[in-house]
Amino acid sequence: MNFIGQHILSVQQFERADIDRLFSVADMMEPYARRQRLTKVLDGAILGNMFFEPSTRTRVSFGCAFNLLGGEVRETTGIQNSALAKGESLYDTARVLSGYSDIIVMRHPEAFSVAEFASASRVPVINGGDGANEHPSQALLDLYTIRKEVSGQGKSIDHLRIAMIGDLKNGRTVHSLCKLMRLYNNLYFTMVAPAELQMQQEVVEMLREAGHTVVVTDKLEESISKVDIAYSTRIQEERFASKEEADRYRGRFRLNQSIYTEFCEPNTVIMHPLPRDSRMEANELDNDLNENPNLAIFRQADNGINVRMALFAMILDVVDQVDSHSRSVNWYTNR
Ligand code: CP
């Protein structure tokens, strides 16, 4: 695909070659993402960062990524703080905001709402998460992280064994990651969830049709032995009818250091899109894993900057100008 001027709404837009190109640009962004060099390649450009649902990482890292390319960021957070609360349509909102911005990132609680918004936008729109549907930039940074983590073990993405754990029905990150990983070869997926929260059948079928093995189970311990990646997810309380209903599943699958030591291989990489639910009744990834060198969750969050910088640079067609608009930083940095 040609990234220039494109909306990014679903990972199903990508072929494997597109991902390779994006990851090469993400690698190129490393000195800028780590604040070792500065670039002003997007000096004067404006990102509309429209988050109509709570976010910490996606909103701030998209904003930082744009700032690190030299651009400015304008934000809306929460439906209640926008004219959507007064009955304005997504069409009108998109027509207006796309007159104020060069590119827009949008998160919204309704599935397919970002696509509806994009159809009325005059500038490229990146899906920052639409309900339980998709979270394409998270899947890209997850896959970028997987590639980095396993390459240190002499492995590639092909032939990996992955356990996905938690609320697989409502978790948009795992939906997007599975759809993206279908492009690779001979993967072995174990979907660990209560029956009511299992991975959508259409995603399971998509993976099987692409030649991958998919095992569906509600047993954690036996599922995380012999896997390269254990990808945990939070119970998506905001998608349930009530807190009480979510409580029925919270804390069902907990990974801590003693379970890791007993059941995982010594180099199993632990991932989570974050936020992890650290409340006692959930505690899906225990704090006692924090010093485990295979806990990749914070490297994963850091990688979001590289991948989101790469998306902006490719969509706005400035990849070849990044270095020529750069200089070294003039402040203290220990990165
Ligand atoms: N992973 C992720 O989407 O985190 P936020 O909800 O904090 O953006």
Side-chain angles (χ1 to χ4, degrees):
M1 96 179 227
N2 180 359
F3 282 78
I4 301 167
Q6 295 295 310
H7 301 308
I8 305 294
L9 302 174
S10 165
V11 292
Q12 294 192 80
Q13 294 171 241
F14 301 121
E15 298 296 335
R16 200 165 155 163
D18 305 322
I19 297 167
D20 289 345
R21 279 172 50 227
L22 182 81
F23 287 179
S24 294
V25 178
D27 287 342
M28 192 192 108
M29 294 298 173
E30 183 68 13
Y32 305 103
R34 302 297 151 243
R35 264 86 86 213
Q36 291 153 350
R37 283 194 72 73
L38 260 181
T39 178
K40 291 285 180 193
V41 70
L42 289 184
D43 188 19
I46 295 176
L47 165 67
N49 214 18
M50 305 298 148
F51 276 71
F52 299 115
E53 193 180 48
S55 170
T56 295
R57 273 141 294 275
T58 312
R59 181 172 64 83
V60 177
S61 69
F62 264 121
C64 286
F66 208 75
N67 287 150
L68 288 166
L69 290 164
E72 300 276 342
V73 181
R74 293 287 175 271
E75 292 199 323
T76 289
T77 55
I79 287 178
Q80 71 283 4
N81 296 321
S82 79
L84 291 176
K86 302 175 188 174
E88 187 168 53
S89 65
L90 286 174
Y91 178 91
D92 286 2
T93 307
R95 291 288 298 180
V96 172
L97 293 178
S98 57
Y100 300 163
S101 318
D102 296 282
I103 188 165
I104 291 173
V105 176
M106 179 175 160
R107 171 174 288 188
H108 191 283
E110 298 295 326
F112 307 107
S113 54
V114 182
E116 182 185 343
F117 180 94
S119 68
S121 172
R122 292 168 281 170
V123 299
V125 175
I126 301 176
N127 181 358
D130 60 327
N133 181 38
E134 277 223 37
H135 194 342
S137 67
Q138 179 72 44
L140 290 166
L141 77 88
D142 287 345
L143 192 60
Y144 184 71
T145 302
I146 289 171
R147 191 190 69 148
K148 266 187 152 175
E149 296 286 327
V150 302
S151 71
Q153 302 174 14
K155 300 173 193 163
S156 67
I157 298 171
D158 293 322
H159 311 295
L160 286 180
R161 300 156 299 171
I162 302 140
M164 294 189 166
I165 304 155
D167 184 354
L168 307 184
K169 176 184 173 198
N170 296 304
R172 57 192 169 203
T173 71
V174 284
H175 300 161
S176 287
L177 184 56
C178 286
K179 291 174 187 172
L180 194 59
M181 293 191 84
R182 87 192 186 286
L183 297 171
Y184 292 80
N185 297 323
N186 192 31
L187 301 175
Y188 191 104
F189 290 91
T190 310
M191 305 295 185
V192 187
E196 302 87 339
L197 302 184
Q198 259 301 347
M199 181 60 78
Q200 297 164 351
Q201 195 56 30
E202 71 174 77
V203 176
V204 171
E205 290 308 321
M206 179 187 290
L207 289 170
R208 287 181 176 149
E209 279 166 22
H212 306 298
T213 303
V214 184
V215 174
V216 172
T217 178
D218 62 359
K219 307 279 185 304
L220 177 67
E221 285 81 0
E222 65 192 44
S223 305
I224 54 176
S225 65
K226 300 195 178 65
V227 296
D228 302 292
I229 309 286
Y231 188 107
S232 175
T233 63
R234 179 179 62 89
I235 299 299
Q236 308 283 300
E237 182 181 325
E238 60 275 32
R239 311 279 173 238
F240 286 78
S242 67
K243 176 181 178 301
E244 289 68 34
E245 192 189 345
D247 284 342
R248 294 216 302 265
Y249 305 103
R250 224 188 296 277
R252 178 86 177 269
F253 303 111
R254 297 169 193 249
L255 187 54
N256 60 27
Q257 187 56 50
S258 85
I259 292 173
Y260 183 90
T261 305
E262 185 173 352
F263 295 100
C264 291
E265 295 192 350
N267 58 2
T268 296
V269 177
I270 307 164
M271 295 179 63
H272 192 299
L274 301 179
R276 58 175 157 171
D277 187 344
S278 293
R279 291 172 289 191
M280 201 188 307
E281 62 272 25
N283 204 27
E284 60 230 7
L285 277 187
D286 197 288
N287 281 334
D288 73 359
L289 289 161
N290 286 356
E291 302 309 315
N292 184 321
N294 295 311
L295 184 77
I297 58 175
F298 300 117
R299 295 190 288 276
Q300 192 179 346
D302 283 350
N303 288 335
I305 295 282
N306 299 56
V307 168
R308 289 171 173 138
M309 289 181 81
L311 280 172
F312 287 137
M314 292 173 81
I315 294 167
L316 296 177
D317 194 20
V318 294
V319 172
D320 294 340
Q321 303 170 55
V322 169
D323 290 337
S324 60
H325 288 74
S326 75
R327 65 169 173 82
S328 54
V329 300
N330 56 340
W331 58 83
Y332 167 77
T333 173
N334 65 356
R335 289 187 174 82

